[in-house]
Amino acid sequence: MVGSSLGRNTKSASGPENSGSPVINLRYRLLETAGGLLTKSRLPGSMVRRVQCCSRRAAEFDIEAKKYRSRDLEVVQNPAGGRHRYRGLCLCSRVWLCPVCASRISEFRRKELFHGWKQWQQTGGSLCLVTRTFPHHAGDRLADLLRQFRAAMRRSKSGRAAKAIASEFGIAGSVRCIETTWGPVNGWHPHSHEVFFLRDAVDLVWLRRRLYVEWARACRREGLPTPSYRHGLDVRPVGDAIRYLGKWGVDAELTKWQMKKPTGERFTPWAMLLLESEAAPSSSRFKSVYGMRWVEFAEASKGVAQLYWSQGLKRALGVPEFNDEEAAKQAQAEDLYLYSIEAARDRGWSDWSLILRYGLRDHALDLSEVGGRDSVRALCMQLRRRAMADLSVRLSDRRSG
């Protein structure tokens, strides 16, 4: 009640009710939902705690002391979209579990792909987008499907036949991602999107036929149903590949899902997390079936990379190697510094601790975009008065008790 009442009061005083960044609002709300759901999973406790603590502590690593030290938090602006966000927070870097880190890492990976595409264009090469999937049923477990799916993809890309296809069509390498959706009718639907870097223009119809033969054979050998030629494998030209890369990422999904509530038959993991956060409270373990399915996805996606680059392709295109933790930090390297929020204080409440206490990380950014530093300072002063009042009430109750 405290957080919601403060949010309404400050919004009416500082700017329009619907001002600010709706995607940022969703990210922090979904992060809280994900932290609660992960306590019901079988993932390691250290991983769960890391996600729950993500974007809460402002600290930097002291190399000499070999430990983190508190620091003030920075508010920065993305030069591309103009949105405000925080810099200097400890991040979990879990691309499948945390919408905040997923947004940053996806942004960085998208830039890597476009850089590679630009470099490849200069050589006169072309691109195509290859999509693979297979038949599935409502009762299939996602962990089993992903294990067999990944094994089938490895098999289809190895051996003499795969090497012959690469040589015939001039395939220099590829970048692949795995996506997963769920629907109540047919259950889990894993599929992959793979961008092929081609040395010359090729006959995509013939390439599709050759790839399908190997894909169908690999699925059978890994115990998967044989995919049909119509639905099992698709090859599209460069224009579709670039459009796909442009819309790829959690921000694009969240924007789409917020503008139009999910009404289709299939849901992405972020959409399921959103539906779970909006579900009515329940006495059962999960508020909805979407929360249960999201936990299954979280467990099955452990150890799965967001993107797979074929060996040597990054080096050939001049794309540096960064892991997810480095990518999450590098994503904000070009952001413009605006001002700092007090987060390091030896005694008493810091401004950041008050924002966390009342769950207003998203609302503080909304105010920053509307009124800048003065609006955030006014919010912190209001929170400080409220915290003092709450403390007085607790002390009074303790004395009377």
Side-chain angles (χ1 to χ4, degrees), residues 225-395:
T226 303
S228 66
Y229 180 75
R230 180 179 180 182
H231 300 291
L233 190 141
D234 182 55
V235 179
R236 298 187 181 186
V238 60
D240 293 312
I242 297 305
R243 279 198 295 272
Y244 171 75
L245 297 182
K247 69 172 185 168
W248 171 67
V250 60
D251 278 354
E253 289 186 23
L254 292 183
T255 302
K256 177 178 65 178
W257 283 98
Q258 191 183 31
M259 295 299 293
K260 182 178 180 180
K261 296 297 181 183
T263 57
E265 297 180 353
R266 296 207 161 273
F267 307 94
T268 68
W270 301 122
M272 289 189 283
L273 197 59
L274 173 60
L275 290 171
E276 174 71 9
S277 71
E278 295 179 341
S282 172
S283 58
S284 60
R285 190 179 179 204
F286 299 97
K287 292 194 297 183
S288 69
V289 66
Y290 305 107
M292 179 174 62
R293 295 305 179 190
W294 187 85
V295 169
E296 183 181 355
F297 167 79
E299 294 174 345
S301 62
K302 180 185 176 184
V304 178
Q306 188 181 39
L307 287 182
Y308 294 89
W309 289 69
S310 59
Q311 188 174 4
L313 182 60
K314 272 192 173 183
R315 184 172 58 257
L317 297 176
V319 179
E321 288 282 354
F322 290 100
N323 58 34
D324 284 348
E325 188 171 354
E326 294 168 336
K329 295 178 180 178
Q330 288 289 332
Q332 290 186 306
E334 299 178 359
D335 287 351
L336 306 176
Y337 170 81
L338 298 178
Y339 60 90
S340 297
I341 296 178
E342 179 196 46
R345 176 181 281 200
D346 295 333
R347 299 180 62 183
W349 298 302
S350 67
D351 291 344
W352 180 243
S353 67
L354 291 170
I355 292 173
L356 287 177
R357 178 173 183 169
Y358 294 108
L360 296 177
R361 286 178 291 182
D362 50 3
H363 181 54
L365 287 176
D366 283 349
L367 291 178
S368 180
E369 292 184 356
V370 175
R373 173 168 44 186
D374 293 340
S375 294
V376 177
R377 284 180 175 175
L379 170 67
C380 293
M381 291 177 62
Q382 185 179 358
L383 294 177
R384 196 173 299 278
R385 289 193 295 269
R386 186 55 188 254
M388 291 295 296
D390 291 344
L391 178 60
S392 298
V393 170
R394 290 198 301 271
L395 292 176

